């Protein structure tokens, strides 16, 4: 398995000899409004060209329709014929943008030898969830590949822990920037990311969705310091830079 972190939640994954693009967010630096007044978003540029990102992509997965997961530039640049998997309820809005092969991920789905299964997520807890809306994560399985759990825009709450226990993934991809909305945590922070690593001592954790948006509260350096203090080895918690490619096995 090869995983390239593009920026924020955007990943390009080579898995089972197929190339997947997750949550494409292609906006130029500072081209979108601030969430907190600290900085326009995104705060960083893409590490490579959009053409390079899209090269070879066979399937796109869109977890939800927040602009930092599927933005206007991506809607223009992703080929309209590429198959897209999305959470139930988002398919019509994606089709309205001209995409012709959009399938809601309602259950475990077999695509080109890959098993893609939707998993529950909660974009915060309490009243903030109504503002954030529904989100999903998913797991990936294929012969000869590590089992992957992409948790997505979720905090650590019982369904996430249950997925870890039931699936026993080899790789867990977390969103770990500690983003907050009106003071409420809406994705994992450092403490929750470390707790994921303790819940899954057999897994490698890959922390993403960092340092790209102005409502984040945890940097890569913060997370590494917390991991060191918590005796989580660097080999168990990977914190890739934008544009970095990881080669991961079982």
């Amino acid at each position: 398995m090869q995983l390239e972190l593009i920026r924020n939640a955007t990943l390009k994954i080579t898995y089972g000899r197929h190339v997947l693009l997750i949550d494409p967010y292609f906006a130029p630096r500072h081209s979108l409004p601030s969430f907190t007044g600290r900085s326009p978003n995104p705060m960083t540029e893409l590490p490579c060209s959009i053409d390079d990102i899209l090269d070879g992509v066979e399937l796109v997965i869109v977890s939800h329709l927040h602009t930092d997961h599927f933005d206007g530039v991506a809607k223009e640049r992703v080929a309209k014929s590429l198959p897209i998997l999305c959470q139930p309820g988002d398919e019509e809005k994606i089709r309205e943008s001209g995409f012709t092969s959009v399938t809601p991920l309602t259950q475990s789905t077999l695509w080109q030898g890959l098993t893609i299964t939707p998993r529950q997520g909660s974009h915060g807890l309490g009243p903030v969830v109504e503002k954030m809306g529904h989100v999903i994560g998913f797991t990936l399985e294929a012969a000869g590949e590590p089992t992957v759990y992409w948790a997505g825009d979720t905090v650590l709450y019982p369904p996430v822990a249950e997925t870890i226990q039931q699936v026993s993934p080899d790789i867990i991809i977390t969103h770990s920037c500690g983003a907050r909305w009106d003071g409420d945590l809406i994705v994992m922070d450092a403490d929750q990311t470390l707790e994921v690593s303790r819940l899954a001592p057999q897994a490698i954790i890959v922390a993403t969705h960092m340092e790209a948006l102005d409502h984040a509260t945890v940097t890569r350096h913060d997370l590494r310091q917390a991991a060191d203090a918590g005796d989580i080895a660097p080999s168990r918690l990977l914190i890739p830079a934008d544009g970095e490619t990881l080669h991961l096995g079982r």
Side-chain angles (χ1 to χ4, degrees), residues 46-250:
L46 290 171
C48 54
S49 72
I50 294 174
D51 286 342
D52 285 344
I53 295 167
L54 292 173
D55 184 38
V57 170
E58 300 168 75
L59 176 70
V60 179
I61 302 176
V62 175
S63 66
H64 63 299
L65 297 181
H66 286 174
T67 54
D68 63 308
H69 292 261
F70 194 41
D71 71 328
V73 180
K75 291 173 185 176
E76 291 178 359
R77 294 296 303 274
V78 173
K80 295 297 192 277
S81 60
L82 268 178
I84 295 180
L85 295 178
C86 66
Q87 69 171 338
D90 287 350
E91 61 270 24
E92 288 306 320
K93 288 185 179 179
I94 296 173
R95 289 175 186 142
E96 287 171 4
S97 296
F99 294 94
T100 59
S101 180
V102 185
T103 303
L105 195 58
T106 58
Q107 60 187 357
S108 187
T109 299
L110 185 64
W111 179 86
Q112 300 290 327
L114 312 186
T115 300
I116 306 167
T117 304
R119 302 294 177 179
Q120 291 184 63
S122 187
H123 210 342
L125 295 173
V128 74
V129 174
E130 185 174 346
K131 299 176 184 178
M132 294 296 102
H134 294 291
V135 296
I136 59 167
F138 60 85
T139 50
L140 280 175
E141 297 170 274
E145 293 282 10
T147 297
V148 177
Y149 173 28
W150 186 89
D153 263 10
T154 186
V155 293
L156 178 57
Y157 77 131
V160 170
E162 290 162 10
T163 295
I164 292 170
Q165 182 179 28
Q166 292 166 6
V167 176
S168 191
D170 301 295
I171 311 294
I172 302 174
I173 301 166
T174 59
H175 292 174
S176 299
C177 69
R180 290 183 176 272
W181 195 268
D182 294 336
D184 292 312
L185 189 68
I186 56 173
V187 300
M188 294 185 201
D189 59 9
D191 287 343
Q192 292 191 357
T193 303
L194 300 192
E195 184 59 24
V196 166
S197 73
R198 297 184 183 104
L199 290 171
Q202 81 292 343
I204 292 173
I205 314 303
V206 181
T208 66
H209 204 302
M210 304 193 77
E211 300 182 3
L213 301 172
D214 76 326
H215 62 339
T217 63
V218 178
T219 66
R220 290 178 171 95
H221 179 70
D222 295 336
L223 182 56
R224 180 60 70 201
Q225 281 195 318
D228 289 345
D231 293 323
I232 306 297
S235 60
R236 286 212 51 236
L237 175 59
L238 307 181
I239 312 173
D242 292 352
E244 185 174 349
T245 298
L246 306 177
H247 298 271
L248 303 167
R250 289 184 180 276

Side-chain angles (χ1 to χ4, degrees), residues 20-53:
L20 285 59
L21 181 65
I22 300 169
D23 282 3
Y25 177 42
F26 293 162
R29 180 175 182 260
H30 289 173
S31 64
L32 295 173
S34 168
F35 293 136
T36 66
R38 183 161 67 97
S39 168
N41 288 305
M43 299 196 301
T44 56
E45 288 287 9
L46 290 171
C48 54
S49 72
I50 294 174
D51 286 342
D52 285 344
I53 295 167

